Amino acid sequence: MGRGARRKLPPALPKVERVELKSTHLGLRFIAFVLCLALGLSALGFGIYSLLTTEPGWARIEATTNEAYVAGDFVFDYLLGEGATAQRKALTTLYTQQCLDLGRLFDNTQTYEECPNNLCYINTHPGEAVQVDPRLYGAFERLEKADDRTIYLGVLEAYCLNLYFDRGTDPFAEPETKDTLEQLTEFAQTGAELELLGENTVRLEVSPEYAELAGELGLDCYLGFGWLQSAFILDYMAEELSSRGYTQGIISSRDGYTRSLGGDVGPVQRSLYRWDGERAVETGRQEMDTPVNAAAINGFPLDGDEGQAYVNQLALLGGRAAGVTETVLEYSGTQSCVDLALKVKARVLE
């Protein structure tokens, strides 16, 4: 007989003596049935009540539809108070809608019927005057005022992401793609220009040479906010939530941002990392007495990151972030995530 797992036999059960219940006990049987039914319904009701009822305290708020894809980049914790159940329901509805609206607005790869003139629409209609959402126009104005050209790195970022997910390596360490990366970096400086025409109207101009190279790569996402996208989304989201009276929460993103809604909910911590040559190692934690807004950048991938945040940062800085071996962090109780991100970028590029 071959070796293998021993067959499991069911345990022997004690012999049960069957007792016939007389018809005179039918009333007792009915009463027992009613009691069991009542007990079962009570247990079911309590279970449903527990599922639908939320106690005051910290709760994780999550989007209720997969269409709100940007919610996968965020973690939203809120300190619920009186009427926690109703508060959580309202927060979930509002947060889901914000993720849908802002995700569609800043998407540079797809258009939506609900958000017709988004970033993708501008990318696919160069040379045309396009009226956009005031929030998108405000983001363009903010970066123009800062003399920051991050939005022109859209094709470079998409190319880097494709390389990373195809090969699983640092895109800027691939010798055979060096020329293409250099060309895309140069075109980001000289090959595209977004004109702000006022009244929330813009026009994208792209050079023929840039359009030709982008066409060869199968990419037309000239504009993209890269690592700054989460910063803008969190700032806009926090403004909306706070204006509705929801201030006791913190939203963080996997690519390095933390955004407080303004309320004092106690101390918070942030992890700091360094690159030891092979992997990211946590070196310590920054503890703040009260919630603050923060932006952090790592020039290396973190465990569970899937590489995307890391590649976004590389593309954002044109490859310069590869020299960053420790977390670069800026935080403030008053400055926005966008302001802090621009300060981090300036420090890295010094």
Side-chain angles (χ1 to χ4, degrees):
M1 180 182 292
R3 298 175 61 184
R6 181 175 297 176
R7 182 182 176 188
K8 250 186 176 179
L9 296 175
L13 297 177
K15 185 177 180 180
V16 177
E17 183 178 352
R18 294 182 179 275
V19 178
E20 186 175 345
L21 192 63
K22 296 182 179 180
S23 59
T24 55
H25 294 157
L26 286 177
L28 293 176
R29 293 175 67 182
F30 179 75
I31 293 173
F33 170 75
V34 171
L35 289 175
C36 289
L37 180 62
L39 183 61
L41 290 175
S42 298
L44 179 62
F46 180 77
I48 293 174
Y49 174 80
S50 299
L51 289 173
L52 299 180
T53 304
T54 302
E55 296 296 324
W58 282 104
R60 178 68 47 85
I61 308 300
E62 298 179 335
T64 56
T65 172
N66 290 333
E67 293 181 27
Y69 69 94
V70 296
D73 293 334
F74 303 139
V75 174
F76 181 17
D77 291 316
Y78 196 85
L79 184 58
L80 300 171
E82 293 280 335
T85 301
Q87 193 176 44
R88 183 173 192 169
K89 182 178 179 181
L91 261 176
T92 298
T93 299
L94 181 57
Y95 176 62
T96 299
Q97 193 59 52
Q98 284 292 294
C99 288
L100 280 170
D101 293 346
L102 293 167
R104 290 165 176 168
L105 187 64
F106 283 87
D107 193 338
N108 68 342
T109 62
Q110 182 178 343
T111 56
Y112 302 86
E113 184 178 347
E114 302 86 349
C115 185
N117 293 357
N118 67 348
L119 194 58
C120 178
Y121 185 89
I122 301 171
N123 278 329
T124 53
H125 291 77
E128 296 182 19
V130 181
Q131 190 167 38
V132 300
D133 186 289
R135 292 169 295 184
L136 192 55
Y137 194 86
F140 292 142
E141 281 189 315
R142 177 67 185 87
L143 294 186
E144 184 180 76
K145 182 179 179 180
D147 195 25
D148 184 277
R149 293 187 64 85
T150 295
I151 58 169
Y152 298 104
L153 293 165
V155 176
L156 174 65
E157 180 189 5
Y159 183 66
C160 288
L161 284 170
N162 290 343
L163 286 177
Y164 188 91
F165 289 123
D166 285 345
R167 309 182 188 188
T169 57
D170 180 350
F172 289 92
E174 296 286 338
E176 62 269 30
T177 60
K178 180 181 178 182
D179 290 343
T180 302
L181 288 168
E182 289 179 352
Q183 282 182 287
L184 291 176
T185 302
E186 179 62 28
F187 277 134
Q189 299 299 320
T190 62
E193 199 67 40
L194 184 69
E195 299 178 43
L196 304 185
L197 306 176
E199 298 183 350
N200 299 321
T201 303
V202 301
R203 180 170 53 234
L204 173 64
E205 299 291 349
V206 180
S207 71
E209 296 81 10
Y210 190 14
E212 181 180 1
L213 176 58
E216 291 174 0
L217 298 174
L219 301 169
D220 57 8
C221 44
Y222 302 104
L223 302 178
F225 283 85
W227 180 55
L228 294 179
Q229 177 172 307
S230 291
F232 277 107
I233 289 178
L234 287 182
D235 284 343
Y236 282 133
M237 193 179 290
E239 290 172 11
E240 180 64 22
L241 290 168
S242 298
S243 72
R244 303 286 190 96
Y246 298 110
T247 60
Q248 302 299 105
I250 302 170
I251 313 176
S252 58
S253 72
R254 65 174 181 170
D255 49 1
Y257 297 106
T258 299
R259 176 71 201 215
S260 167
L261 300 186
D264 185 357
V265 293
V268 293
Q269 288 186 340
R270 286 194 62 95
S271 295
L272 304 177
Y273 301 90
R274 65 175 174 82
W275 185 250
D276 71 355
E278 295 182 356
R279 61 190 179 91
V281 178
E282 185 176 5
T283 58
R285 296 187 179 184
Q286 184 91 25
E287 183 166 334
M288 296 84 169
D289 293 334
T290 59
V292 296
N293 303 329
I297 194 170
N298 301 300
F300 42 83
L302 300 179
D303 290 342
D305 184 16
E306 296 180 356
Q308 186 169 347
Y310 159 59
V311 175
N312 281 348
Q313 293 164 8
L314 285 176
L316 169 72
L317 302 175
R320 291 286 300 279
V324 176
T325 57
E326 293 187 357
T327 300
V328 180
L329 171 68
E330 290 283 345
Y331 60 90
S332 168
T334 57
Q335 290 183 290
S336 69
C337 285
V338 172
D339 291 337
L340 295 171
L342 293 176
K343 290 177 69 174
V344 167
K345 180 179 177 181
R347 284 178 56 188
V348 172
L349 296 180
E350 285 178 351

